[in-house]
Amino acid sequence: MGNGTRARWACAIAVGVLAVAAYWRSLLYPFIADDYIQIRLGRWLGDPAKWRDLLADPLYRCRATSLYLTNLTEHLFGLEPLAYNISSVLLHTVVALLVGVLARTLGLGALAAAAAAGFYAVYEGHQEAVIWYSALPEQLVVGFSVGSLLAWRRWLDRERGGAGWYGLSLGLFGLALASKESGVVVAPLLLWMALWRRARSWPWILGAAAPFAALAGAYAAAILAARSVHQFFSDGTFTLGPHVLLVLPRSLAAMLFFWGALAAVAVGWSRVLRFSLGWMALALVPYSFLT
């Protein structure tokens, strides 16, 4: 085992230790009210035999992966809260490691990428998605989205080759869409990543991105077509309106404060900062339609 391999394993273990250290107390938590709803939905719609019912539901078909995982967890471990809590922390650890790999893929140094993964592992801003089992879709959509972006980058580096990486990226994108609505941001982020990499063959890249855009468009159209029966449109969770122009910058400012703003000052007005702000803004667009 070379020094580089040992260093990567050491970083991975360190990230795992940080994730567990930040959330070990949550392993002892009992179920909360919404967790029982999640388990009931897993029994009802997470059963593979009920896929037609799941497909017909405009809200929960966008959370299919979490329902299948919940159904599987109950089949394996019953109603033992520890098993669900462990699976949530493990998933958080995997996503933290993927964040580090993505940072490295985007060109950050090994130390910076490790710091990004470690920061994600302990940052409290997204603790709800780890501690609250019913928020499982958030972790899954991030994991599948980052996986799709990593596979896309590998495909880009092969100069029009590597059909397997392209297929993997598209497949993981489909799983991201089946995890939560915010998965649609992968489509524009693919192009943002290509722009960051200073790609030259833009007709080829735009053609490759077209299936992602078409899938995202069809996905969004299916949600909008079901507005009259969609729970989140009837209860006011989603609203299509000009408020997005206020929510987006306010959300971006809140996300940057405090450490992000400090990092922005340290980096200065550079290509890195412009790329980062664009990346964050694109990722926040779906959440800006929340009321």
Side-chain angles (χ1 to χ4, degrees), residues 20 27 84-96 130 139:
V20 173
L27 299 177
Y84 296 79
N85 295 335
I86 288 176
S87 69
S88 186
V89 173
L90 283 177
L91 184 56
H92 171 64
T93 303
V94 171
V95 174
V130 184
Q139 292 209 71

Side-chain angles (χ1 to χ4, degrees), residues 22-64:
Y23 289 103
W24 71 268
R25 291 194 60 155
S26 70
L27 299 177
L28 308 177
Y29 290 175
F31 290 130
I32 62 174
D34 285 354
D35 294 336
Y36 291 103
I37 298 174
Q38 176 74 14
I39 292 169
R40 180 177 63 83
L41 289 168
R43 292 175 179 176
W44 172 32
L45 297 174
D47 184 346
K50 303 288 184 63
W51 66 270
R52 287 188 177 86
D53 293 335
L54 178 60
L55 193 61
D57 192 300
L59 173 59
Y60 289 109
R61 68 189 177 206
C62 300
R63 287 153 177 77

Side-chain angles (χ1 to χ4, degrees), residues 174-196:
L175 289 173
L177 295 180
S179 299
K180 197 166 186 182
E181 295 86 352
S182 51
V184 297
V185 301
V186 170
L189 287 178
L190 297 174
L191 299 179
W192 198 245
M193 179 182 282
L195 184 66
W196 169 252

Side-chain angles (χ1 to χ4, degrees), residues 18 37 75 103 115 128 139 141 201 244 258:
L18 287 172
I37 298 174
H75 274 292
E128 181 182 272
Q139 292 209 71
V141 72
S201 305
V244 66
F258 159 78

Side-chain angles (χ1 to χ4, degrees), residues 74-121:
E74 184 181 8
H75 274 292
L76 293 176
F77 303 104
L79 291 177
E80 173 52 57
L82 180 62
Y84 296 79
N85 295 335
I86 288 176
S87 69
S88 186
V89 173
L90 283 177
L91 184 56
H92 171 64
T93 303
V94 171
V95 174
L97 291 171
L98 287 174
V99 167
V101 176
L102 178 63
R104 195 78 173 100
T105 297
L106 291 172
L108 273 70
L111 183 59
F119 182 84
Y120 186 92

